Amino acid sequence: MRGKDMVGIAVDTSEHNLEPLPYHVELRDYLKSQERDLWNWFASAQAKADYTENLRMELLKSTYRLDADGHPELCQSVEAAKARLQLDIPVTLYQAQNSPQLNAALFFMPGEGHVVFSGPILTLLNPEELKSVIGHELAHYHLWIRDNGEFHIADRLLQAVANDPRAASAHEQTARRFQLYTEIFADRGSLRVTGDVHPVVAGLVKIQTGLSQVSAPGYLKQAEEIFAKGSVATEGLSHPEAFIRARALALWHEQHDGATGRITDMIEGAAALEELDLIGQTRLASATRRFLETLLRPKWFQTPAVLGHAKLFFDDFLPGNGHRPMALDGLKFSDVRLREYLCYVLLDFVTADPELDDLPLAAALELSRQLELDAQFEKLAAKELKMKVRDVRRLKEQAVEMLAKAEVSGE
């Protein structure tokens, strides 16, 4: 249960299946495999939870229930949204008391939906915009019941762990991103219900600004102008900024799955060591393994001392095939700290086996050049190995020739 400010070109959305985003699926699978005991506990706790009656009583105490007699159009919108989202559940609507903030929220109960409106949202939005709000909130329910409720289990687990005082930054970042992607998913639910981007975007902007009249095409153009000036990533904690949500929705409408990469960039931004989530840590571990496989491909480098050191990183480590080039694009980080991390890993293997003399440093210099890390690595190597910078650069110039000779003699 979490408050969700709703949210955006007329479109037939029937060909756009409302599927969990790749991040949802990847993280769900990670939690099930890597945190199995924790997953099982939350799955069991969800099955045994008996809070429905207490929650229903709390809603009755703190809200005004909106019934079909008093709000027939609103209830018709609910039925339309349920049909578009393929939900066959009773849905009850409420207006929150003593809450001036414009908002809407789904209170999740298995088998029934409860949507609470806050502030003057019912008078601010027109019927299509209200339908998009309802679609957004019921899309949360659509996600939570998929795959036997596994995405709801993941959400509850992440929120509980992130709120624990012992939580690491990666746990907090993971819960944040899961929630951000969930809002992107729910916005797609709005579009599926309305079949038109404009009321979705207009509703979003009205709720964010409190304005009674807004131009959805104008705001979509405004969002395009922002991204025309360069890449932008969200700084939101629970909801992406309105312009990001509008742009993500437009991209999904125009390109569908082809927009995944650009939407990921808006939500996650470039990889940064200080902001890695659990998935990011897993990806970095995979990148590190690939990095070592590339570095240690030459037979001459595969001494017991070096391979023993590699097994401190990965106990099942095997070097890459010496005759097959490996893709390095995924190792070209822009974050200074991640680049520094790779430099220190290189330095580790430069000194792992002193009997190899200058060859490991030559190999590290050549790989750092390929990864565009050479300037950073040269300074670090000179400092840590107590060498003169000119000697490091001289070795760099000789590296290709030295490594070629070593390859021949090592075969």
Side-chain angles (χ1 to χ4, degrees):
M1 178 190 74
R2 197 159 53 243
K4 293 148 179 96
D5 66 328
M6 198 270 37
V7 192
I9 345 191
V11 48
D12 177 8
T13 60
S14 60
E15 77 282 7
H16 286 6
N17 292 326
L18 192 59
E19 298 291 336
L21 278 77
Y23 188 88
H24 287 125
V25 176
E26 187 175 6
L27 185 56
R28 184 271 312 270
D29 293 347
Y30 171 90
L31 293 172
K32 288 180 68 177
S33 63
Q34 301 300 315
E35 301 290 348
R36 192 67 202 179
D37 290 343
L38 198 57
W39 177 274
N40 288 340
W41 190 91
F42 274 91
S44 175
Q46 181 190 36
K48 296 178 180 178
D50 187 20
Y51 60 84
T52 300
E53 290 305 317
N54 289 336
L55 181 57
R56 185 179 289 109
M57 180 59 67
E58 183 59 31
L59 283 170
L60 291 174
K61 290 178 178 179
S62 62
T63 68
Y64 169 75
R65 187 166 57 201
L66 306 169
D67 56 27
D69 291 338
H71 303 271
E73 291 186 2
L74 199 58
C75 292
Q76 289 172 9
S77 294
V78 169
E79 294 305 313
K82 285 166 53 178
R84 293 294 291 168
L85 295 171
Q86 298 179 319
L87 293 176
D88 184 17
I89 57 169
V91 175
T92 308
L93 304 178
Y94 308 83
Q95 174 67 43
Q97 301 173 14
N98 304 317
S99 180
Q101 182 179 3
L102 290 163
N103 198 9
L106 173 75
F107 285 63
F108 178 81
M109 299 182 199
E112 53 189 280
H114 298 263
V115 178
V116 179
F117 300 107
S118 302
I121 194 170
L122 297 180
T123 55
L124 184 68
L125 305 187
N126 67 33
E128 281 301 296
E129 293 161 358
L130 279 171
K131 187 188 293 185
S132 76
V133 171
I134 294 167
H136 178 99
E137 300 308 329
L138 293 184
H140 283 281
Y141 190 97
H142 181 90
L143 179 63
W144 295 154
I145 62 169
R146 285 186 66 101
D147 299 350
N148 297 315
E150 288 187 339
F151 297 104
H152 189 233
I153 294 170
D155 181 78
R156 293 174 59 248
L157 186 161
L158 290 168
Q159 292 301 319
V161 171
N163 290 329
D164 191 294
R166 298 164 294 178
S169 173
H171 297 129
E172 296 171 357
Q173 190 65 246
T174 304
R176 169 182 173 265
R177 287 185 178 170
F178 192 86
Q179 192 170 348
L180 293 171
Y181 276 114
T182 297
E183 295 306 316
I184 295 295
F185 173 90
D187 286 344
R188 294 178 180 182
S190 295
L191 177 59
R192 187 167 186 83
V193 167
T194 63
D196 187 347
V197 178
H198 289 155
V200 182
V201 172
L204 167 63
V205 175
K206 284 184 176 181
I207 290 174
Q208 293 290 318
T209 64
L211 294 172
S212 60
Q213 296 295 326
V214 301
S215 168
Y219 192 72
L220 286 167
K221 186 178 295 184
Q222 182 177 330
E224 289 178 6
E225 290 176 15
I226 295 171
F227 287 95
K229 298 182 183 298
S231 299
V232 181
T234 181
E235 297 178 3
L237 297 179
S238 62
H239 293 62
E241 294 82 350
F243 69 88
I244 286 180
R245 292 169 69 177
R247 183 63 177 148
L249 197 59
L251 286 170
W252 186 67
H253 158 53
E254 295 162 4
Q255 303 174 25
H256 198 35
D257 290 341
T260 297
R262 296 172 71 181
I263 293 172
T264 298
D265 289 342
M266 290 191 292
I267 299 301
E268 300 184 29
L273 187 62
E274 302 296 336
E275 298 177 0
L276 289 180
D277 60 353
L278 295 174
I279 297 299
Q281 290 181 341
T282 301
R283 291 171 182 165
L284 181 58
S286 297
T288 302
R289 181 188 287 270
R290 192 165 68 254
F291 184 62
L292 295 183
E293 289 172 350
T294 302
L295 178 65
L296 304 183
R297 278 186 306 161
K299 291 293 184 183
W300 61 261
F301 216 156
Q302 299 170 20
T303 68
V306 170
L307 293 182
H309 191 63
K311 289 182 182 295
L312 295 177
F313 285 77
F314 306 100
D315 56 12
D316 60 345
F317 178 81
L318 293 173
N321 187 314
H323 300 287
R324 180 169 55 87
M326 304 188 74
L328 299 176
D329 289 346
L331 297 169
K332 294 182 178 179
F333 299 118
S334 59
D335 179 59
V336 173
R337 294 294 305 279
L338 282 173
R339 292 165 64 85
E340 182 180 60
Y341 163 77
L342 290 183
C343 287
Y344 272 104
V345 172
L346 279 175
L347 197 60
D348 252 14
F349 286 87
V350 167
T351 58
D353 188 346
E355 293 186 7
L356 291 174
D357 296 324
D358 289 337
L359 276 175
L361 180 54
L365 286 165
E366 175 58 18
L367 183 54
S368 71
R369 182 191 63 77
Q370 295 176 27
L371 294 175
E372 302 171 3
L373 291 168
D374 41 342
Q376 193 171 351
F377 179 69
E378 287 169 31
K379 292 179 181 178
L380 179 64
K383 175 185 176 183
E384 298 295 335
L385 300 176
K386 295 179 171 47
M387 295 176 63
K388 294 180 179 179
V389 173
R390 65 172 179 267
D391 292 335
V392 174
R393 290 177 178 168
R394 185 181 300 115
L395 186 61
K396 176 184 175 183
E397 293 170 359
Q398 300 169 355
V400 173
E401 183 179 353
M402 288 175 60
L403 295 172
K405 289 180 180 179
E407 286 273 5
V408 172
S409 62
E411 291 179 350

